Amino acid sequence: MTAQILEPGSVLGVLGGGQLGAMFASAARRMGYRVAVWDPDPDAPALQLADYSFAAPFLDVETRDQFSGTVGAVTVEWENVPADLCEWLARHHPVRPFGTVLRILQDRIHQKQFLQIHGLPVAPFAILESPDQLPNAISDIGLPALCKTARSGYDGKGQWLIQKPADAEQVFPSLSASTRAGHRWILEQFVPFERELSVLVVREPGGQCRTYPAVDNRHVHGILRLTVAPSSLPAGTTTHASHLAVQAVSALNSPGVFCVEFFHTSDGNLLINEIAPRPHNSGHYTLDACTVSQFEQQVRVLCGAPIGDIKLLCSAAMVNLIGDEVRTVTSGQGYREVMAIAGAVLHLYGKRTIRTGRKMGHVTFLAEEREIAEERARWLMNRLV
Ligand code: ATP
Ligand code: MG
């Protein structure tokens, strides 16, 4: 029996209306679908692109019923939407990825334990049920280490670097300031990586996986700064990363688009940092440099259509525009200079308010040679500081 395909004209629902939701909505609309976006923030960028907008808290039952009555299938733009909501919606519609996956990935402790159980390599870690367990965790894991909140962290938020014992005394009050019952933390060994890389995996409902080429990532202050595609690491390393990524996604056993982030150490080891069950910032280059973008794949997987054949058409280097940086690139001389660069593609997210650390847009530089794309990206990064 052929599985049912949701055809163009159907309404696709997305939970979360940030830039990832907006890029999903653009891909879906280009393919003839209508889009329903649900985000608690009425200013969320994707709401501007939606055929049906729902701006209400995720726990609002009336909105849930209306949303469910509107859509034919549901996806998410980030992993922190309530898993209960996804599971309720899954009684009525295909929901991809599954709520079970969100439950695992929403909590760093569950995620790390899941990876460990499946024999996947992660940095040594300890679990803190309360702040006063920090000294013991430090003696187990050693220093330097990163203490991270188990839930709701993103872009490096909710993380504390502990380099020496005295730092722990300063971190302690921040942990104790959390009054939420059941708040937990994870203490991770600080990995002295020489490179970060990531692999996008697209998994069909039938279990078949396809991967995008591994890409190199550079983060500054916990926020992605630069992605270069393809990775410049040796083929043996990137192939190994792709295998590990497929293994991790297969263990999660859900259809969807996933990004697996890695650390590559100087002694040649690969460790999984984390998995996102959705398109990822490090995959934005696929919009301009690939036959099929990560967002189109999200549409295809959601609708049960065959996933697209993946080809990198040229090299690419993507620079995020964070906070005020967006002004440099969108006004005056900066705008002219960026637009004059061959292969520069500007993406702005339409966020009304600029805030420190907020991702406002990105520029992807396309070139035949990776070195040239990267050189142009580095020029922009220098121009931004
Ligand atoms: P996002 O969801 O935006 O990717 P996040 O808040 O979930 O970010 P992580 O991916 O855990 O955060 O960490 C952000 C960055 O901080 C990593 O990409 C890496 O550069 C650095 N980092 C995180 N954990 C470690 C570690 N154990 N050792 C060394 N560096 C780390
Ligand atoms: Mg990350």
Side-chain angles (χ1 to χ4, degrees):
M1 198 184 77
T2 333
Q4 214 197 329
I5 293 184
L6 219 55
E7 293 173 355
S10 314
V11 182
L12 305 182
V14 57
L15 300 174
Q19 63 270 19
L20 297 168
M23 292 184 242
F24 167 79
S26 299
R29 289 179 60 125
R30 176 175 55 74
M31 295 165 76
Y33 291 93
R34 288 173 294 153
V35 181
V37 178
W38 182 357
D39 193 290
D41 175 5
D43 267 349
L47 290 173
Q48 299 168 27
L49 298 172
D51 297 277
Y52 306 93
S53 299
F54 298 84
F58 283 129
L59 299 180
D60 188 286
V61 172
E62 218 172 289
T63 307
R64 181 195 72 183
D65 293 346
Q66 279 171 10
F67 183 80
S68 178
T70 307
V71 301
V74 181
T75 188
V76 303
E77 70 128 27
W78 74 314
E79 50 281 17
N80 289 320
V81 297
D84 284 350
L85 174 60
C86 291
E87 282 164 359
W88 186 90
L89 289 164
R91 292 194 227 143
H92 308 275
H93 312 284
V95 176
R96 295 170 184 162
F98 299 153
T100 46
V101 167
L102 301 187
R103 282 189 199 286
I104 297 167
L105 301 184
Q106 278 171 356
D107 188 304
R108 289 186 195 279
I109 298 172
H110 294 162
Q111 181 173 163
K112 283 261 158 48
Q113 289 174 329
F114 178 89
L115 291 168
Q116 229 177 20
I117 288 165
H118 287 89
L120 291 153
V122 292
F125 65 91
I127 297 164
L128 279 75
E129 308 276 351
S130 76
D132 53 22
Q133 293 178 339
L134 186 59
N136 271 347
I138 291 176
S139 19
D140 284 356
I141 297 303
L143 291 180
L146 264 172
C147 186
K148 301 180 181 179
T149 179
R151 302 181 74 92
S152 312
Y154 69 98
D155 285 347
K157 293 186 174 66
Q159 299 196 6
W160 299 268
L161 175 63
I162 305 175
Q163 283 176 298
K164 49 188 191 309
D167 297 343
E169 284 156 37
Q170 290 179 1
V171 169
F172 188 79
S174 308
L175 305 190
S176 305
S178 167
T179 50
R180 192 160 53 77
H183 198 139
R184 299 196 296 169
W185 298 264
I186 188 166
L187 188 78
E188 279 177 28
Q189 194 173 85
F190 186 88
V191 180
F193 58 82
E194 56 100 26
R195 191 77 62 86
E196 285 189 89
L197 62 157
S198 58
V199 176
L200 282 169
V201 181
V202 188
R203 189 171 191 268
E204 290 183 331
Q208 176 87 7
C209 289
R210 289 193 198 192
T211 56
Y212 283 81
V215 297
D216 292 338
N217 297 321
R218 215 182 99 207
H219 291 78
V220 176
H221 304 309
I223 306 183
L224 184 65
R225 172 84 279 188
L226 169 71
T227 293
V228 182
S231 166
S232 59
L233 286 166
T237 308
T238 56
T239 306
H240 184 41
S242 298
H243 283 153
L244 291 173
V246 168
Q247 226 179 304
V249 168
S250 301
L252 286 168
N253 202 17
S254 160
V257 174
F258 297 83
C259 181
V260 184
E261 294 181 66
F262 293 91
F263 299 127
H264 183 246
T265 60
S266 48
D267 51 3
N269 273 330
L270 281 169
L271 297 172
I272 296 184
N273 171 25
E274 60 173 358
I275 306 178
R278 49 159 173 87
H280 192 260
N281 193 172
S282 67
H284 286 357
Y285 78 92
T286 64
L287 284 165
D288 303 305
C290 291
T291 39
V292 179
S293 78
Q294 58 173 351
F295 302 101
E296 177 171 335
Q297 302 284 26
Q298 190 179 16
V299 174
R300 287 171 177 248
V301 170
L302 184 57
C303 298
I307 54 179
D309 184 43
I310 297 166
K311 280 205 176 59
L312 183 63
L313 300 171
C314 60
S315 298
M318 185 231 51
V319 178
N320 270 334
L321 302 172
I322 300 162
D324 265 341
E325 293 172 353
V326 70
R327 292 192 212 276
T328 312
V329 173
T330 54
S331 56
Q333 188 61 19
Y335 182 57
R336 246 160 280 166
E337 285 174 20
V338 172
M339 289 296 111
I341 296 174
V345 189
L346 174 65
H347 294 257
L348 296 177
Y349 304 152
K351 294 182 183 173
R352 285 189 236 274
T353 328
I354 298 179
R355 281 199 294 270
T356 311
R358 194 176 199 199
K359 290 173 182 166
M360 304 301 295
H362 68 267
V363 182
T364 303
F365 295 92
L366 304 174
E368 282 310 312
E369 287 165 50
R370 177 181 44 218
E371 291 69 22
I372 300 209
E374 187 168 347
E375 190 183 296
R376 292 178 180 160
R378 288 193 186 280
W379 168 85
L380 176 62
M381 292 193 301
N382 289 332
R383 182 74 173 73
L384 291 174
V385 289

